[in-house]
Amino acid sequence: MKEVILTVKKEFVTKYKNGYPLVFEDALESAKCLKDEGQIITLIDDKKAFLGRGYYGNQNKGCGWVLSNSKNSKFDYRFFYDKLRNAFSKRMRYYHSKDTTAFRVFNGEGDGIGGLTIDYFDEYYLITWYSKGIYVFKDMIIKAIKSLVSFEGIYEKKRFDENGMVLEEDSYYCGRKAPEPLIVKENGVNFAIYLNEGAMVGVFLDQKEVRKSIRDKYSKGKKVLNTFSYTGAFSMAAARGGAITTSVDLASRSLEKTIENFNINKINPEKHNIVVEDIFLYFKKAKKEELKFDLVILDPPSFATSKDHKFSAAKDYKDLVKLAIEVTENEGVIVASTNCAAFNMAKFKKFIDKAFKESNKHYEILEEHTLPQDFMITDKFPEGNYLKVLFVKVY
Ligand code: SAH
Protein backbone atom coordinates (compact mmCIF):
# COMPACT_ATOMS: atom_id res chain seq x y z
CA MET A 1 0.00 0.00 0.00
CA LYS A 2 1.26 3.42 -0.88
CA GLU A 3 2.22 5.76 1.92
CA VAL A 4 0.57 9.16 1.78
CA ILE A 5 1.61 12.58 2.95
CA LEU A 6 -1.14 14.75 4.40
CA THR A 7 -0.94 18.48 5.04
CA VAL A 8 -2.47 19.64 8.30
CA LYS A 9 -4.47 22.88 8.21
CA LYS A 10 -2.69 25.82 9.80
CA GLU A 11 -5.05 26.11 12.74
CA PHE A 12 -4.44 22.47 13.73
CA VAL A 13 -0.64 22.42 13.42
CA THR A 14 0.05 23.23 17.07
CA LYS A 15 -2.32 20.51 18.17
CA TYR A 16 -0.36 17.84 16.28
CA LYS A 17 2.97 19.38 17.24
CA ASN A 18 1.92 18.81 20.84
CA GLY A 19 1.36 15.14 20.17
CA TYR A 20 -2.39 14.90 19.59
CA PRO A 21 -2.82 11.34 18.28
CA LEU A 22 -6.23 11.33 16.57
CA VAL A 23 -6.32 12.24 12.89
CA PHE A 24 -9.60 13.70 11.70
CA GLU A 25 -10.62 14.95 8.28
CA ASP A 26 -11.40 18.50 9.33
CA ALA A 27 -7.78 18.95 10.37
CA LEU A 28 -6.48 18.02 6.92
CA GLU A 29 -6.12 20.22 3.86
CA SER A 30 -7.36 17.33 1.81
CA ALA A 31 -8.21 13.75 2.69
CA LYS A 32 -8.73 12.79 -0.93
CA CYS A 33 -5.56 10.71 -1.27
CA LEU A 34 -6.65 8.42 1.55
CA LYS A 35 -7.63 5.23 -0.26
CA ASP A 36 -6.85 2.02 1.52
CA GLU A 37 -7.41 1.69 5.22
CA GLY A 38 -4.22 0.60 6.91
CA GLN A 39 -2.01 2.71 4.66
CA ILE A 40 0.73 4.64 6.40
CA ILE A 41 0.25 8.38 6.64
CA THR A 42 2.71 11.16 7.36
CA LEU A 43 1.40 14.47 8.64
CA ILE A 44 3.24 17.66 7.68
CA ASP A 45 2.53 21.34 8.19
CA ASP A 46 2.06 23.96 5.48
CA LYS A 47 5.85 24.45 5.36
CA LYS A 48 6.33 20.70 4.87
CA ALA A 49 7.75 20.22 8.37
CA PHE A 50 7.17 16.75 9.79
CA LEU A 51 4.42 16.38 12.43
CA GLY A 52 3.74 12.68 12.88
CA ARG A 53 3.33 9.24 11.34
CA GLY A 54 0.51 6.79 11.68
CA TYR A 55 -2.19 4.89 9.82
CA TYR A 56 -5.42 5.56 7.99
CA GLY A 57 -8.46 3.89 9.54
CA ASN A 58 -12.05 5.10 9.74
CA GLN A 59 -13.64 5.07 13.16
CA ASN A 60 -16.72 6.76 14.52
CA LYS A 61 -14.29 9.42 15.66
CA GLY A 62 -11.53 10.34 13.24
CA CYS A 63 -9.92 8.71 10.25
CA GLY A 64 -6.69 7.44 11.72
CA TRP A 65 -4.11 7.64 14.47
CA VAL A 66 -0.61 9.04 14.82
CA LEU A 67 1.57 6.23 16.16
CA SER A 68 4.92 7.97 16.25
CA ASN A 69 6.42 11.43 16.37
CA SER A 70 9.68 10.39 14.83
CA LYS A 71 10.20 10.74 11.14
CA ASN A 72 11.92 7.44 10.43
CA SER A 73 9.65 5.19 12.43
CA LYS A 74 8.57 1.92 10.84
CA PHE A 75 5.43 0.10 11.78
CA ASP A 76 6.89 -3.35 11.64
CA TYR A 77 6.71 -6.38 13.93
CA ARG A 78 9.28 -4.85 16.32
CA PHE A 79 7.15 -1.71 16.70
CA PHE A 80 4.02 -3.62 17.72
CA TYR A 81 5.98 -6.06 19.87
CA ASP A 82 7.56 -3.21 21.85
CA LYS A 83 4.24 -1.41 22.37
CA LEU A 84 2.55 -4.57 23.58
CA ARG A 85 5.43 -5.64 25.78
CA ASN A 86 5.51 -2.25 27.40
CA ALA A 87 1.75 -2.31 27.98
CA PHE A 88 1.67 -5.85 29.37
CA SER A 89 4.54 -5.13 31.74
CA LYS A 90 2.64 -2.15 33.16
CA ARG A 91 -0.14 -4.57 34.18
CA MET A 92 2.09 -6.94 36.18
CA ARG A 93 0.29 -5.98 39.38
CA TYR A 94 -2.96 -7.29 37.88
CA TYR A 95 -1.37 -10.38 36.31
CA HIS A 96 -0.03 -11.30 39.75
CA SER A 97 -3.28 -10.69 41.56
CA LYS A 98 -5.20 -13.74 42.71
CA ASP A 99 -8.48 -11.96 43.24
CA THR A 100 -8.58 -9.94 40.02
CA THR A 101 -8.45 -12.06 36.85
CA ALA A 102 -10.02 -9.63 34.38
CA PHE A 103 -8.49 -6.33 33.30
CA ARG A 104 -7.45 -4.28 30.30
CA VAL A 105 -3.94 -5.00 29.04
CA PHE A 106 -3.87 -2.59 26.13
CA ASN A 107 -5.82 0.64 26.02
CA GLY A 108 -5.57 2.17 22.55
CA GLU A 109 -3.82 5.53 22.29
CA GLY A 110 -3.08 5.41 26.04
CA ASP A 111 -0.68 2.57 25.25
CA GLY A 112 0.51 4.09 22.00
CA ILE A 113 -1.78 2.52 19.39
CA GLY A 114 -5.12 4.21 18.87
CA GLY A 115 -7.88 1.96 17.55
CA LEU A 116 -6.82 -1.18 19.42
CA THR A 117 -7.80 -2.49 22.83
CA ILE A 118 -7.02 -5.84 24.44
CA ASP A 119 -8.74 -7.19 27.53
CA TYR A 120 -7.67 -10.16 29.61
CA PHE A 121 -10.27 -12.55 31.02
CA ASP A 122 -8.62 -15.31 33.02
CA GLU A 123 -6.26 -16.82 30.42
CA TYR A 124 -8.28 -15.53 27.45
CA TYR A 125 -7.50 -12.41 25.45
CA LEU A 126 -10.18 -10.33 23.78
CA ILE A 127 -8.94 -7.98 21.07
CA THR A 128 -11.14 -5.16 19.78
CA TRP A 129 -10.27 -3.69 16.38
CA TYR A 130 -11.85 -0.28 15.95
CA SER A 131 -11.27 0.06 12.19
CA LYS A 132 -10.38 -1.85 9.07
CA GLY A 133 -7.17 0.16 9.18
CA ILE A 134 -5.81 -1.28 12.41
CA TYR A 135 -7.01 -4.73 11.32
CA VAL A 136 -4.43 -4.61 8.51
CA PHE A 137 -1.74 -5.00 11.20
CA LYS A 138 -3.50 -7.98 12.74
CA ASP A 139 -0.88 -10.66 11.94
CA MET A 140 1.94 -8.72 13.55
CA ILE A 141 -0.13 -7.85 16.60
CA ILE A 142 -1.27 -11.43 17.17
CA LYS A 143 2.24 -12.74 16.63
CA ALA A 144 3.46 -10.27 19.27
CA ILE A 145 0.81 -11.44 21.75
CA LYS A 146 1.74 -15.06 21.12
CA SER A 147 5.40 -14.44 21.73
CA LEU A 148 4.85 -12.32 24.86
CA VAL A 149 2.30 -14.29 26.88
CA SER A 150 0.81 -17.72 27.24
CA PHE A 151 -2.97 -18.07 27.03
CA GLU A 152 -5.85 -20.47 26.55
CA GLY A 153 -7.48 -18.66 23.66
CA ILE A 154 -7.91 -15.41 21.74
CA TYR A 155 -11.21 -13.76 20.80
CA GLU A 156 -11.69 -10.66 18.67
CA LYS A 157 -14.39 -8.05 18.03
CA LYS A 158 -14.45 -6.00 14.88
CA ARG A 159 -15.96 -2.59 15.45
CA PHE A 160 -15.80 -1.65 11.79
CA ASP A 161 -19.33 -0.38 11.61
CA GLU A 162 -19.63 3.38 11.15
CA ASN A 163 -21.30 3.78 14.52
CA GLY A 164 -18.65 1.72 16.22
CA MET A 165 -20.97 -1.25 16.61
CA VAL A 166 -19.53 -4.72 16.67
CA LEU A 167 -20.00 -6.81 13.52
CA GLU A 168 -22.20 -9.74 14.41
CA GLU A 169 -20.04 -12.75 13.85
CA ASP A 170 -18.16 -15.42 15.73
CA SER A 171 -15.60 -13.74 18.00
CA TYR A 172 -13.45 -16.84 18.45
CA TYR A 173 -10.02 -16.51 16.86
CA CYS A 174 -7.62 -19.20 18.09
CA GLY A 175 -6.63 -21.50 20.90
CA ARG A 176 -9.15 -23.17 23.13
CA LYS A 177 -12.77 -22.02 23.14
CA ALA A 178 -13.73 -20.30 26.37
CA PRO A 179 -16.31 -21.95 28.62
CA GLU A 180 -19.70 -20.24 28.57
CA PRO A 181 -19.81 -18.60 30.93
CA LEU A 182 -16.18 -17.97 31.68
CA ILE A 183 -16.02 -16.98 35.35
CA VAL A 184 -13.61 -14.21 36.23
CA LYS A 185 -12.85 -12.40 39.47
CA GLU A 186 -12.58 -8.72 40.23
CA ASN A 187 -11.36 -7.91 43.72
CA GLY A 188 -12.77 -11.26 44.78
CA VAL A 189 -16.22 -10.77 43.22
CA ASN A 190 -17.17 -13.28 40.49
CA PHE A 191 -18.56 -12.29 37.09
CA ALA A 192 -19.94 -14.47 34.30
CA ILE A 193 -18.36 -13.59 30.94
CA TYR A 194 -19.57 -14.57 27.48
CA LEU A 195 -16.79 -13.77 25.04
CA ASN A 196 -18.96 -14.66 22.08
CA GLU A 197 -21.98 -12.45 22.74
CA GLY A 198 -21.46 -9.24 20.76
CA ALA A 199 -19.92 -6.07 22.15
CA MET A 200 -20.94 -6.45 25.78
CA VAL A 201 -19.41 -9.55 27.33
CA GLY A 202 -20.93 -9.22 30.80
CA VAL A 203 -18.92 -6.69 32.73
CA PHE A 204 -17.46 -3.25 32.12
CA LEU A 205 -13.92 -3.50 33.43
CA ASP A 206 -13.45 0.25 33.80
CA GLN A 207 -15.64 0.35 36.94
CA LYS A 208 -13.46 -1.88 39.13
CA GLU A 209 -12.47 0.85 41.60
CA VAL A 210 -16.02 2.16 41.83
CA ARG A 211 -17.39 -1.32 42.54
CA LYS A 212 -14.72 -1.88 45.18
CA SER A 213 -15.56 1.38 46.89
CA ILE A 214 -19.29 0.57 46.87
CA ARG A 215 -18.66 -2.85 48.37
CA ASP A 216 -16.16 -1.73 51.02
CA LYS A 217 -17.63 1.56 52.17
CA TYR A 218 -21.26 2.04 51.21
CA SER A 219 -23.05 -1.30 51.42
CA LYS A 220 -23.12 -2.83 54.88
CA GLY A 221 -26.74 -3.03 56.00
CA LYS A 222 -27.86 -0.67 53.22
CA LYS A 223 -30.68 -0.65 50.68
CA VAL A 224 -29.22 -0.15 47.23
CA LEU A 225 -30.92 0.75 43.95
CA ASN A 226 -28.88 -0.11 40.87
CA THR A 227 -30.35 1.49 37.75
CA PHE A 228 -29.44 0.52 34.14
CA SER A 229 -28.15 -2.56 35.90
CA TYR A 230 -27.30 -4.78 32.85
CA THR A 231 -25.86 -7.99 34.41
CA GLY A 232 -26.00 -6.50 37.90
CA ALA A 233 -22.25 -5.94 38.33
CA PHE A 234 -22.76 -3.07 40.78
CA SER A 235 -25.41 -5.12 42.61
CA MET A 236 -22.88 -7.94 43.10
CA ALA A 237 -20.41 -5.51 44.65
CA ALA A 238 -23.09 -4.07 46.93
CA ALA A 239 -24.50 -7.47 47.89
CA ARG A 240 -21.03 -8.78 48.69
CA GLY A 241 -20.62 -5.75 50.92
CA GLY A 242 -23.80 -6.64 52.80
CA ALA A 243 -26.53 -4.67 51.03
CA ILE A 244 -29.97 -5.69 49.87
CA THR A 245 -30.14 -4.64 46.24
CA THR A 246 -32.75 -3.73 43.66
CA SER A 247 -31.51 -3.96 40.07
CA VAL A 248 -33.55 -2.31 37.31
CA ASP A 249 -32.95 -2.77 33.60
CA LEU A 250 -35.18 -2.64 30.57
CA ALA A 251 -33.65 -5.64 28.82
CA SER A 252 -35.26 -8.96 29.69
CA ARG A 253 -31.87 -10.73 29.42
CA SER A 254 -30.78 -8.77 32.50
CA LEU A 255 -32.96 -10.97 34.73
CA GLU A 256 -31.22 -14.29 34.03
CA LYS A 257 -27.79 -12.66 33.79
CA THR A 258 -28.20 -11.00 37.18
CA ILE A 259 -29.48 -14.22 38.77
CA GLU A 260 -26.51 -16.06 37.29
CA ASN A 261 -24.07 -13.53 38.78
CA PHE A 262 -25.72 -13.84 42.21
CA ASN A 263 -25.46 -17.62 41.99
CA ILE A 264 -21.77 -17.68 41.11
CA ASN A 265 -21.15 -15.36 44.07
CA LYS A 266 -23.06 -17.75 46.35
CA ILE A 267 -25.63 -15.08 47.12
CA ASN A 268 -29.28 -16.08 47.21
CA PRO A 269 -30.98 -14.06 44.42
CA GLU A 270 -34.32 -14.39 46.19
CA LYS A 271 -33.08 -12.01 48.88
CA HIS A 272 -32.64 -9.34 46.18
CA ASN A 273 -34.96 -7.64 43.72
CA ILE A 274 -34.43 -7.79 39.99
CA VAL A 275 -36.85 -5.69 38.00
CA VAL A 276 -37.16 -5.74 34.22
CA GLU A 277 -38.64 -2.32 33.52
CA ASP A 278 -38.00 1.07 32.01
CA ILE A 279 -36.17 2.95 34.76
CA PHE A 280 -38.22 6.08 34.18
CA LEU A 281 -41.37 4.12 34.86
CA TYR A 282 -39.74 2.54 37.89
CA PHE A 283 -38.81 5.96 39.30
CA LYS A 284 -42.42 7.08 38.91
CA LYS A 285 -43.75 4.08 40.81
CA ALA A 286 -41.04 4.30 43.48
CA LYS A 287 -41.92 7.93 44.12
CA LYS A 288 -45.62 7.11 44.42
CA GLU A 289 -44.91 4.29 46.82
CA GLU A 290 -42.43 6.51 48.68
CA LEU A 291 -39.64 3.97 48.32
CA LYS A 292 -36.28 5.19 49.63
CA PHE A 293 -32.79 3.83 49.20
CA ASP A 294 -29.53 4.49 51.04
CA LEU A 295 -27.49 4.22 47.86
CA VAL A 296 -28.67 4.88 44.30
CA ILE A 297 -26.37 3.96 41.42
CA LEU A 298 -26.81 5.76 38.09
CA ASP A 299 -24.77 4.37 35.23
CA PRO A 300 -26.79 4.93 32.05
CA PRO A 301 -25.56 4.52 28.48
CA SER A 302 -24.76 7.79 26.70
CA PHE A 303 -27.90 7.31 24.62
CA ALA A 304 -30.93 5.19 25.30
CA THR A 305 -34.27 4.95 23.59
CA SER A 306 -37.15 3.05 25.14
CA LYS A 307 -40.81 2.89 24.16
CA ASP A 308 -41.74 6.11 25.87
CA HIS A 309 -38.44 7.73 26.72
CA LYS A 310 -35.44 9.13 24.96
CA PHE A 311 -32.36 9.67 27.10
CA SER A 312 -29.16 11.44 26.17
CA ALA A 313 -26.54 11.79 28.90
CA ALA A 314 -25.36 15.16 27.59
CA LYS A 315 -28.90 16.59 27.71
CA ASP A 316 -30.73 14.65 30.39
CA TYR A 317 -28.29 13.67 33.11
CA LYS A 318 -29.43 16.49 35.38
CA ASP A 319 -33.03 15.25 35.23
CA LEU A 320 -31.91 11.71 35.94
CA VAL A 321 -30.15 12.91 39.11
CA LYS A 322 -33.33 14.73 40.15
CA LEU A 323 -35.27 11.47 39.87
CA ALA A 324 -32.60 9.73 41.93
CA ILE A 325 -32.72 12.44 44.63
CA GLU A 326 -36.45 11.74 45.09
CA VAL A 327 -35.79 8.12 46.06
CA THR A 328 -32.65 8.67 48.13
CA GLU A 329 -32.78 8.76 51.94
CA ASN A 330 -31.59 11.87 53.70
CA GLU A 331 -27.82 11.42 54.11
CA GLY A 332 -27.96 8.68 51.51
CA VAL A 333 -25.53 8.58 48.59
CA ILE A 334 -25.97 8.78 44.83
CA VAL A 335 -23.27 7.25 42.65
CA ALA A 336 -23.49 9.23 39.42
CA SER A 337 -21.51 7.69 36.59
CA THR A 338 -21.19 8.39 32.88
CA ASN A 339 -18.97 7.22 30.06
CA CYS A 340 -20.19 10.00 27.78
CA ALA A 341 -17.16 11.59 26.08
CA ALA A 342 -19.17 14.65 25.00
CA PHE A 343 -18.58 16.45 28.30
CA ASN A 344 -15.85 16.55 30.93
CA MET A 345 -15.82 16.24 34.72
CA ALA A 346 -16.30 19.98 35.27
CA LYS A 347 -19.47 19.95 33.19
CA PHE A 348 -20.66 16.75 34.84
CA LYS A 349 -20.32 18.44 38.23
CA LYS A 350 -22.42 21.31 36.92
CA PHE A 351 -25.22 18.88 35.99
CA ILE A 352 -25.11 17.49 39.53
CA ASP A 353 -25.07 20.95 41.08
CA LYS A 354 -28.05 22.05 39.02
CA ALA A 355 -30.01 18.91 39.86
CA PHE A 356 -29.55 19.54 43.60
CA LYS A 357 -30.37 23.25 43.35
CA GLU A 358 -33.54 22.54 41.42
CA SER A 359 -34.49 19.89 43.99
CA ASN A 360 -33.78 22.26 46.90
CA LYS A 361 -31.33 19.82 48.40
CA HIS A 362 -27.75 20.06 49.60
CA TYR A 363 -24.97 17.75 48.65
CA GLU A 364 -21.38 16.88 49.29
CA ILE A 365 -19.07 15.10 46.87
CA LEU A 366 -17.48 12.23 48.77
CA GLU A 367 -15.51 10.54 46.00
CA GLU A 368 -14.46 11.22 42.47
CA HIS A 369 -13.30 8.51 40.07
CA THR A 370 -12.02 8.41 36.51
CA LEU A 371 -10.52 5.47 34.62
CA PRO A 372 -8.59 2.89 36.65
CA GLN A 373 -4.86 2.26 36.10
CA ASP A 374 -5.25 -0.58 33.60
CA PHE A 375 -7.20 1.80 31.35
CA MET A 376 -4.02 3.70 30.58
CA ILE A 377 -4.55 7.22 29.28
CA THR A 378 -2.31 9.86 27.74
CA ASP A 379 -2.44 13.56 28.54
CA LYS A 380 -2.06 14.15 24.80
CA PHE A 381 -5.62 12.91 24.35
CA PRO A 382 -7.84 14.13 27.21
CA GLU A 383 -11.00 12.79 25.51
CA GLY A 384 -9.62 9.30 26.14
CA ASN A 385 -10.35 9.77 29.83
CA TYR A 386 -14.10 9.37 29.30
CA LEU A 387 -15.21 7.87 32.62
CA LYS A 388 -16.59 10.22 35.25
CA VAL A 389 -17.98 8.96 38.55
CA LEU A 390 -19.08 10.99 41.57
CA PHE A 391 -20.23 9.70 44.95
CA VAL A 392 -22.63 12.38 46.16
CA LYS A 393 -24.11 12.56 49.65
CA VAL A 394 -27.65 13.93 49.80
CA TYR A 395 -28.90 16.30 52.54
N1 SAH B 1 -24.49 -0.01 34.68
C1 SAH B 1 -24.20 -1.22 33.94
C2 SAH B 1 -23.95 -0.99 32.48
C3 SAH B 1 -25.09 -0.34 31.78
S1 SAH B 1 -25.19 -0.81 30.13
C4 SAH B 1 -23.02 -1.94 34.57
O1 SAH B 1 -22.38 -1.42 35.45
O2 SAH B 1 -22.71 -3.06 34.16
C5 SAH B 1 -26.66 -0.01 29.72
C6 SAH B 1 -27.90 -0.77 30.18
O3 SAH B 1 -28.96 0.18 30.23
C7 SAH B 1 -28.35 -1.87 29.25
O4 SAH B 1 -28.38 -3.08 29.94
C8 SAH B 1 -29.73 -1.43 28.80
O5 SAH B 1 -30.64 -2.49 28.67
C9 SAH B 1 -30.15 -0.50 29.92
N2 SAH B 1 -31.18 0.50 29.59
C10 SAH B 1 -31.23 1.33 28.52
N3 SAH B 1 -32.31 2.14 28.61
C11 SAH B 1 -32.94 1.83 29.75
C12 SAH B 1 -34.12 2.31 30.39
N4 SAH B 1 -34.85 3.28 29.85
N5 SAH B 1 -34.48 1.75 31.56
C13 SAH B 1 -33.75 0.76 32.11
N6 SAH B 1 -32.62 0.26 31.55
C14 SAH B 1 -32.23 0.78 30.39
Side-chain angles (χ1 to χ4, degrees):
M1 267 183 289
K2 233 182 106 203
E3 293 198 22
V4 288
I5 294 173
L6 299 163
T7 309
V8 169
K9 284 184 192 159
K10 234 185 176 140
E11 63 265 38
F12 291 101
V13 165
T14 316
K15 202 173 171 97
Y16 289 101
K17 253 190 197 151
N18 291 337
Y20 190 74
L22 181 67
V23 183
F24 51 97
E25 277 194 26
D26 282 350
L28 305 172
E29 282 296 351
S30 166
K32 268 200 207 110
C33 50
L34 291 171
K35 264 215 312 274
D36 301 307
E37 289 199 42
Q39 75 189 140
I40 305 300
I41 57 180
T42 294
L43 303 184
I44 55 169
D45 69 11
D46 50 329
K47 295 186 188 75
K48 297 203 163 42
F50 172 83
L51 292 171
R53 250 163 94 70
Y55 71 92
Y56 165 45
N58 281 314
Q59 262 180 250
N60 55 342
K61 44 177 184 193
C63 62
W65 292 92
V66 174
L67 301 182
S68 167
N69 295 105
S70 91
K71 210 170 175 172
N72 300 317
S73 48
K74 276 205 204 89
F75 306 125
D76 52 9
Y77 174 65
R78 191 79 224 171
F79 174 87
F80 290 103
Y81 178 89
D82 286 346
K83 291 281 183 216
L84 264 68
R85 190 189 53 183
N86 190 23
F88 291 3
S89 71
K90 285 183 181 154
R91 275 72 174 186
M92 276 309 147
R93 177 166 77 87
Y94 293 103
Y95 274 114
H96 289 147
S97 161
K98 280 210 175 61
D99 53 57
T100 296
T101 60
F103 47 91
R104 177 151 292 191
V105 292
F106 198 94
N107 195 40
E109 71 288 345
D111 283 301
I113 307 175
L116 170 74
T117 64
I118 310 174
D119 293 322
Y120 175 83
F121 293 97
D122 196 11
E123 304 293 330
Y124 289 86
Y125 285 86
L126 174 64
I127 307 171
T128 305
W129 314 99
Y130 283 84
S131 71
K132 289 182 186 137
I134 188 65
Y135 196 67
V136 166
F137 305 101
K138 172 174 173 172
D139 290 348
M140 289 189 283
I141 291 167
I142 298 226
K143 188 175 157 200
I145 297 175
K146 285 181 173 170
S147 74
L148 282 163
V149 286
S150 62
F151 55 83
E152 290 289 337
I154 297 182
Y155 282 68
E156 60 173 346
K157 310 270 179 210
K158 298 175 197 159
R159 289 205 170 193
F160 295 175
D161 184 279
E162 284 194 356
N163 301 314
M165 304 294 263
V166 161
L167 299 184
E168 286 300 329
E169 54 185 21
D170 196 337
S171 307
Y172 168 77
Y173 176 69
C174 73
R176 255 196 247 185
K177 292 213 166 166
E180 299 207 340
L182 169 67
I183 296 170
V184 300
K185 277 189 197 309
E186 180 196 271
N187 295 312
V189 180
N190 293 324
F191 292 116
I193 302 298
Y194 292 83
L195 291 179
N196 221 347
E197 278 191 3
M200 310 210 294
V201 298
V203 69
F204 290 98
L205 297 175
D206 54 3
Q207 297 277 12
K208 55 172 68 64
E209 304 298 340
V210 179
R211 281 190 286 262
K212 184 168 188 302
S213 218
I214 287 174
R215 181 192 64 191
D216 295 349
K217 296 190 251 172
Y218 299 89
S219 294
K220 198 154 193 232
K222 303 290 191 199
K223 275 172 70 181
V224 172
L225 174 64
N226 180 13
T227 67
F228 305 93
S229 57
Y230 180 42
T231 57
F234 283 120
S235 307
M236 298 313 129
R240 284 286 291 268
I244 296 298
T245 66
T246 298
S247 307
V248 185
D249 196 290
L250 185 61
S252 44
R253 58 152 200 242
S254 66
L255 176 63
E256 53 182 300
K257 299 265 188 200
T258 306
I259 291 175
E260 178 174 50
N261 274 329
F262 275 125
N263 284 333
I264 63 172
N265 281 293
K266 302 204 163 51
I267 298 164
N268 183 357
E270 315 237 309
K271 299 229 160 84
H272 297 262
N273 307 308
I274 305 167
V275 185
V276 175
E277 189 166 78
D278 190 325
I279 190 62
F280 298 100
L281 203 68
Y282 181 85
F283 273 128
K284 243 187 223 160
K285 287 191 195 163
K287 189 183 172 189
K288 219 174 176 179
E289 292 169 27
E290 294 181 27
L291 294 184
K292 295 275 182 190
F293 298 88
D294 303 299
L295 185 75
V296 177
I297 301 162
L298 304 174
D299 180 36
S302 297
F303 299 96
T305 312
S306 62
K307 222 168 62 224
D308 31 31
H309 210 96
K310 237 191 169 143
F311 174 84
S312 140
K315 282 203 201 104
D316 307 317
Y317 210 106
K318 178 204 78 186
D319 292 330
L320 182 64
V321 175
K322 285 170 80 176
L323 293 172
I325 291 171
E326 288 177 341
V327 301
T328 306
E329 293 278 10
N330 187 37
E331 302 209 3
V333 173
I334 295 173
V335 177
S337 166
T338 180
N339 58 9
C340 184
F343 53 88
N344 61 14
M345 185 64 101
K347 185 124 185 242
F348 190 43
K349 284 184 178 167
K350 281 198 182 127
F351 294 157
I352 307 282
D353 186 70
K354 212 156 177 218
F356 276 86
K357 286 213 170 101
E358 288 179 17
S359 306
N360 289 316
K361 291 270 190 183
H362 296 286
Y363 70 96
E364 181 193 348
I365 294 180
L366 304 176
E367 287 189 30
E368 187 174 324
H369 294 258
T370 56
L371 286 172
Q373 271 180 4
D374 51 331
F375 282 67
M376 195 73 59
I377 48 167
T378 160
D379 54 7
K380 312 264 190 261
F381 191 66
E383 305 93 301
N385 194 0
Y386 58 84
L387 186 70
K388 298 166 273 292
V389 186
L390 296 167
F391 285 57
V392 191
K393 191 164 177 176
V394 181
Y395 299 96

